[in-house]
Amino acid sequence: MQFGDVTLHLISDGKYWEDGGGLFGLVPKALWERVAEPDERNRLCFELRSLLIETPEQHILVDTGYGDKLTDNERSFISLSGERRLLGSLEELGISPLDVDLVINTHLHADDCGGNTRYDESGDLVLTFPGATYCVQRLELADAMFPNERTRATYRRENFQPLEEAGQLRILSGDSRLTEEIRVVATPGHTRAHQCVVIESGGHTAIFLGDVASWPIHMERLSWVPAYDVEPLISIETKRNLARWAIENQVLLVFEHHPEIQAGYLHSTERPDRFRLEPVEIGR
Ligand SMILES: [Zn+2]
């Protein structure tokens, strides 16, 4: 999709399956299963969608999926699949890992930044994108470095610690402009320092939502908040503000984890806490 001087590509690190209760938190299953039918183990299918932004000067990658460091057990538990995964997806666009200039992590959960690093042939932990600067929010990094009992399982040091050791970590504090066309905005709730990526070029605006709204239904219904969110009431306020801004400015919303719906435009309804998404296909 062309956006003024900027090209947006959606790429994939594969699909995985996870318990539906996590995605819908307090929403009764009798309600959410009307939106998504779970498998026999109560699991739903998730996409690991990343955004590749080509500006005239740079290749910018937003989020990096699960990556290839999971054990066989972990992989089979979530039925992680995908023929070419993230690096194969990039290769199909003619982009090698060395071509990526900037990696932006919306946050440091294992399914969003696992592809930051990889094990090389000799088993050493190395950066997947050796020429890239990795942009992470300071408070997110702090929460990831010192997790608690609830967040420990998803914050894995091997996904972010090597960035600093390599001197390729750029620590951001809140809203920050990264290029003429790209800025990040603080969108707390899912984690305390989650950030979304805003692309503005040629009179168009798009936002990569990360886990502010993993699926469109989370944007359509403000009260539907995943069990994963550490600050659920703040998630609702973040979504309310984003929804208003997106409708006023006709912003294209890009979803990281829905298996089919990639993106869309939000419209208001007669209820102030509910919205309707008009899906849009971006393609490759
Ligand atoms: Zn997350």
Side-chain angles (χ1 to χ4, degrees):
M1 177 176 257
Q2 198 64 35
F3 244 53
D5 292 339
V6 169
T7 312
L8 304 182
H9 304 277
L10 292 184
I11 56 176
S12 171
D13 192 43
K15 284 188 162 56
Y16 69 103
W17 293 75
E18 202 164 55
D19 192 274
L23 188 67
F24 291 116
L26 290 177
V27 179
K29 186 178 175 190
L31 289 184
W32 66 251
E33 69 183 353
R34 292 182 201 162
V35 175
E37 201 184 325
D39 71 1
E40 68 289 349
R41 289 161 64 186
N42 201 46
R43 301 181 311 170
L44 297 171
C45 182
F46 295 85
E47 172 72 37
L48 293 164
R49 190 173 289 121
S50 291
L51 176 65
L52 183 85
I53 309 167
E54 267 188 282
T55 75
E57 294 86 27
Q58 289 184 308
H59 291 109
I60 300 166
L61 179 62
V62 185
D63 280 354
T64 58
Y66 257 120
D68 290 317
K69 301 191 300 304
L70 297 185
T71 63
D72 289 346
N73 266 347
E74 289 171 330
R75 230 187 123 119
S76 82
F77 187 71
I78 57 169
S79 305
L80 180 61
S81 68
E83 274 179 28
R84 310 213 59 209
R85 310 282 312 283
L86 189 68
L87 295 184
S89 256
L90 282 172
E91 199 187 319
E92 283 167 24
L93 296 172
I95 295 166
S96 93
L98 269 169
D99 297 329
V100 175
D101 302 290
L102 215 59
V103 174
I104 305 172
N105 290 141
T106 57
H107 60 303
L108 295 174
H109 283 169
D111 59 316
D112 307 289
C113 75
N116 280 356
T117 59
R118 65 181 178 87
Y119 292 116
D120 69 9
E121 301 72 44
S122 39
D124 292 329
L125 190 58
V126 296
L127 304 196
T128 310
F129 306 100
T133 299
Y134 290 71
C135 300
V136 179
Q137 284 287 329
R138 178 164 49 163
L139 182 59
E140 180 67 19
L141 192 64
D143 282 344
M145 290 293 280
F146 304 102
N148 59 35
E149 291 79 355
R150 182 156 174 238
T151 60
R152 186 180 296 142
T154 193
Y155 282 139
R156 303 177 173 200
R157 284 195 175 212
E158 65 266 27
N159 292 337
F160 46 84
Q161 193 157 311
L163 314 178
E164 194 190 6
E165 288 163 3
Q168 286 171 239
L169 178 64
R170 178 172 167 195
I171 297 178
L172 308 174
S173 297
D175 296 0
S176 309
R177 176 160 294 285
L178 302 181
T179 75
E180 205 180 306
E181 306 89 358
I182 318 274
R183 60 190 172 93
V184 295
V185 288
T187 45
H190 178 66
T191 67
R192 292 199 299 162
H194 186 285
Q195 62 182 349
C196 288
V197 180
V198 177
I199 305 102
E200 290 156 317
S201 183
H204 302 285
T205 307
I207 184 168
F208 186 82
L209 288 172
D211 278 328
V212 161
S214 312
W215 280 21
I217 190 73
H218 296 99
M219 212 62 207
E220 291 181 314
R221 299 187 178 203
L222 293 184
S223 65
W224 286 33
V225 175
Y228 307 116
D229 290 20
V230 297
E231 295 184 318
L233 299 184
I234 293 178
S235 293
I236 292 176
E237 291 316 310
T238 291
K239 291 194 294 178
R240 194 194 312 280
N241 293 333
L242 277 185
R244 275 197 203 121
W245 169 76
I247 291 170
E248 258 167 42
N249 297 285
Q250 297 191 321
V251 177
L252 181 69
L253 307 179
V254 181
F255 296 93
E256 184 161 14
H257 293 304
H258 194 275
E260 280 116 36
I261 302 171
Q262 303 173 325
Y265 291 100
L266 205 62
H267 299 282
S268 43
T269 69
E270 60 289 345
R271 285 183 57 163
D273 59 338
R274 289 201 186 177
F275 303 92
R276 180 179 60 79
L277 188 90
E278 172 202 345
V280 169
E281 281 258 346
I282 295 189
R284 301 293 314 272

